[in-house]
């Protein structure tokens, strides 16, 4: 049999599932890790990508392979003759193994010459594992490198989404969004109408026939989308968006349609041409850009029906304070004009439905805004923040509809605009309590003075900084990840399973991280007094307990 270490990825939608399939690391990263001491002794020098690590000591492991593995073996049952070794290598190559790792000792003192020759013949990279490198160390290094790469991707996506959002606020919003999309994906980006006319474009135009093929793909896709019957959607409503892809002469073409304004309008289409296949970053950034373009081309935006919100945004960007522009965002019929409830939300994996990623499902996003009673909702992956008009001296209401959409929510007390940072902290604390209690929503309650108020803010911050100073130089997975794991673990009162579910990692990963936390802190995490101290330190470290 083959044993694999668990490798969990986050994701609650098809795009995230594709990302899980792509989770891999270049073989060169492992070869460059001095702690492993790996050395390639056969096969091509090309930098294969490793998606998982498996170990096997059976004659024919192919029934247990999925492709992309770094397959590790000590040669316990390796065939003794050259023909048998050649057959073994041919089988694992046919099964899609990316590379073979051979551990010397205790069975073989050195990599067999027949295995080296077979790997050279079949084009399979062969790595020599020294005596001091256990197989599990290779697996840990692989999954740590994959996690680090994923974290870089998420940061890249976040920066790109921020740039796209800023571009959408410019006077030349359509061109600005396309320019940012091209910059962050390395593509030629074009906005087509239903007849294939290039309305806006950005990036380096590829040589023909790529532009013509992209135009034809956009025309076919928009025509097919517009011709769909109304079955499955509201009669007379806009046709649902669609996507299509093509590959020709090393150029990858993709098209995403934008929702039409009504049932008779042919949707626009966003086309992209790139020299490489779409990556996770490419797909996520394109998804955000598609939604922004759909909003920017909607009649609501074109007619500036949200003039109050637009005016407030203009004033804010030109230097006005939140307190000065907040009244313009509150509907005139609302009794309060200067107080807001901040809402924090997290996707509930146990809920009946999934909340959308940015732009993934505008209809569900609108339903969430309706349930909260506000258009001011920002969704960032599995998290949301919202601003809801609230009356002073009242208690925020937690709508049941929001929970039905698959969210766990935390609500602040109504606060004036100049105290929104404090309300933001209240909402975050309320969300943590909701998650810990398994409740759909928790509303912040004003209580008697807490321990936080007994410690001067500056002293509290200094204590937290000193307490977690050991995390500054922590290795993989990084100090911020370890702190986040500690907070979640404390939130769930030390439950491994609930922490693993919340973080969407394997429970053994949680145990490994918490062991690392305990070592860095030099503390017994089973001691209730230690847990209490660390909880306060975490609150002060994030600034939530200030004041």
């Amino acid at each position: 049999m083959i044993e694999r270490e668990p490798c969990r990825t986050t994701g609650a939608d098809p795009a995230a599932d594709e990302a899980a399939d792509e989770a891999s690391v270049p073989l060169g990263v492992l070869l460059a890790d001095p702690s492993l001491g790996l050395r390639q002794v056969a096969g091509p020098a090309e930098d294969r990508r490793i998606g998982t690590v498996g170990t096997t000591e059976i004659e024919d492991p192919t029934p247990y392979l999925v492709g992309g593995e770094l397959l590790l073996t000590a040669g316990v049952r390796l065939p003794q003759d050259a023909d048998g070794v050649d057959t073994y290598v041919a089988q694992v190559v046919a099964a899609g193994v990316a590379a073979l790792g051979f551990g010397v000792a205790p069975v073989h003192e050195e990599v067999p010459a027949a295995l080296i020759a077979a790997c050279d013949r079949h084009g399979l990279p062969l790595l020599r594992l020294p005596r001091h490198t256990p197989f599990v160390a290779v697996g840990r290094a692989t999954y740590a490198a994959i996690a680090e790469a994923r974290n870089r991707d998420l940061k890249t996506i976040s920066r790109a989404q921020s740039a796209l959002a800023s571009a959408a606020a410019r006077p030349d919003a359509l061109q600005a969004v396309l320019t940012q999309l091209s910059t962050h994906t390395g593509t030629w980006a074009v906005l087509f109408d239903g007849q294939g006319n290039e309305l806006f474009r950005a990036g380096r135009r590829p040589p023909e026939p790529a532009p013509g093929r992209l135009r034809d793909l956009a025309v076919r896709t928009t025509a097919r989308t517009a011709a769909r019957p109304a079955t499955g959607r509201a009669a007379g409503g806009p046709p649902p968006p669609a996507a299509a892809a093509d590959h020709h002469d090393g150029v990858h073409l993709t098209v995403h349609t934008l929702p039409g304004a009504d049932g008779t309008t042919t949707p626009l289409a966003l086309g992209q041409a790139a020299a490489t296949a779409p990556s996770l970053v490419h797909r996520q950034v394109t998804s955000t850009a598609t939604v922004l373009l759909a909003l920017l081309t909607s009649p609501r935006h074109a007619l500036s029906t949200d003039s109050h919100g637009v005016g407030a945004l203009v004033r804010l960007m030109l230097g006005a304070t939140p307190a000065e522009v907040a009244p313009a965002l509150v509907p005139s019929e609302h009794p309060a004009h200067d107080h807001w409830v901040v809402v924090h939300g997290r996707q509930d994996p146990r809920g009946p439905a999934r909340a959308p990623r940015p732009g993934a499902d505008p209809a569900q996003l609108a339903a969430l805004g309706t349930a909260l009673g506000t258009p001011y909702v920002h969704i960032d992956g599995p998290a949301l923040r919202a601003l809801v008009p609230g009356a002073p001296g009242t208690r925020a209401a937690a709508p049941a509809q929001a929970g039905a959409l698959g969210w766990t929510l935390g609500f602040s007390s109504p606060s004036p605009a100049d105290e929104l940072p404090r309300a933001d902290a209240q909402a975050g604390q309320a969300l943590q309590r909701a998650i810990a209690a398994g409740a759909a929503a928790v509303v912040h309650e004003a209580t008697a003075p807490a321990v936080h108020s007994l410690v001067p803010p500056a002293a509290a911050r200094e204590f937290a900084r000193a307490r977690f100073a050991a995390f500054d130089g922590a290795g993989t997975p990084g100090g911020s990840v370890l702190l986040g794991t500690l907070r979640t673990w404390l939130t769930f009162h030390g439950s491994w399973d609930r922490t693993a579910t919340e973080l969407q990692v394997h429970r053994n990963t949680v145990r490994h991280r918490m062991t690392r936390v305990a070592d860095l802190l030099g503390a017994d995490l089973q001691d209730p007094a230690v847990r209490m101290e660390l909880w306060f330190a975490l609150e002060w470290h994030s600034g939530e307990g200030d004041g």
Side-chain angles (χ1 to χ4, degrees), residues 324-525:
E324 292 172 330
V325 303
L329 299 177
V330 183
S332 57
E333 64 274 13
H334 198 278
H337 289 277
D338 59 351
H339 279 65
W340 295 86
V341 173
V342 179
V343 184
H344 280 208
R346 287 289 302 275
Q347 283 182 343
D348 183 358
R350 300 162 298 176
R354 283 294 188 184
R357 291 178 295 106
D361 187 347
Q364 193 176 20
L365 178 60
L368 182 61
T370 301
L372 293 173
T374 180
Y376 308 119
V377 180
H378 171 65
I379 297 178
D380 184 8
L384 75 82
R385 288 186 179 184
L387 286 174
V388 182
T394 63
R395 185 176 186 273
Q401 301 96 318
L405 291 175
W407 291 90
T408 300
L409 302 172
F411 293 78
S412 75
S413 298
S415 301
D418 57 359
E419 295 183 9
L420 284 178
R422 182 183 295 273
D424 189 54
Q426 292 177 354
Q429 294 168 355
L431 175 60
Q432 291 292 335
R433 291 197 293 271
I435 293 173
V442 166
V443 178
H444 174 79
E445 298 283 358
T447 60
V451 174
H452 296 297
S453 64
L454 304 179
V455 181
R461 287 192 295 269
E462 178 58 25
F463 170 81
R465 187 200 62 77
R467 193 69 181 91
F468 297 125
F471 287 84
D472 294 342
T476 304
S480 61
V481 173
L482 294 175
L483 280 174
T485 303
L486 173 61
R487 173 181 285 278
T488 305
W489 186 76
L490 291 174
T491 296
F492 289 118
H493 310 295
S495 169
W496 306 108
D497 291 332
R498 295 183 69 188
T499 302
T501 299
E502 173 65 18
L503 297 178
Q504 296 185 332
V505 298
H506 196 274
R507 70 195 306 272
N508 288 343
T509 300
V510 176
R511 287 183 178 273
H512 177 74
R513 290 181 184 176
M514 292 308 299
T515 299
R516 179 68 174 146
V517 168
D519 290 342
L520 288 171
L521 295 176
D524 178 8
L525 298 183

Side-chain angles (χ1 to χ4, degrees), residues 135-151:
F135 286 1
V136 69
V138 178
R140 287 178 177 173
T142 301
Y143 298 128
I146 289 174
E148 184 178 356
R150 177 59 55 81
N151 188 47

Side-chain angles (χ1 to χ4, degrees), residues 19 35 92 157 300 335 346 381 394 400 440 474 484 517:
S35 66
V92 298
I157 291 169
R300 174 184 174 89
R346 287 289 302 275
T394 63
V517 168

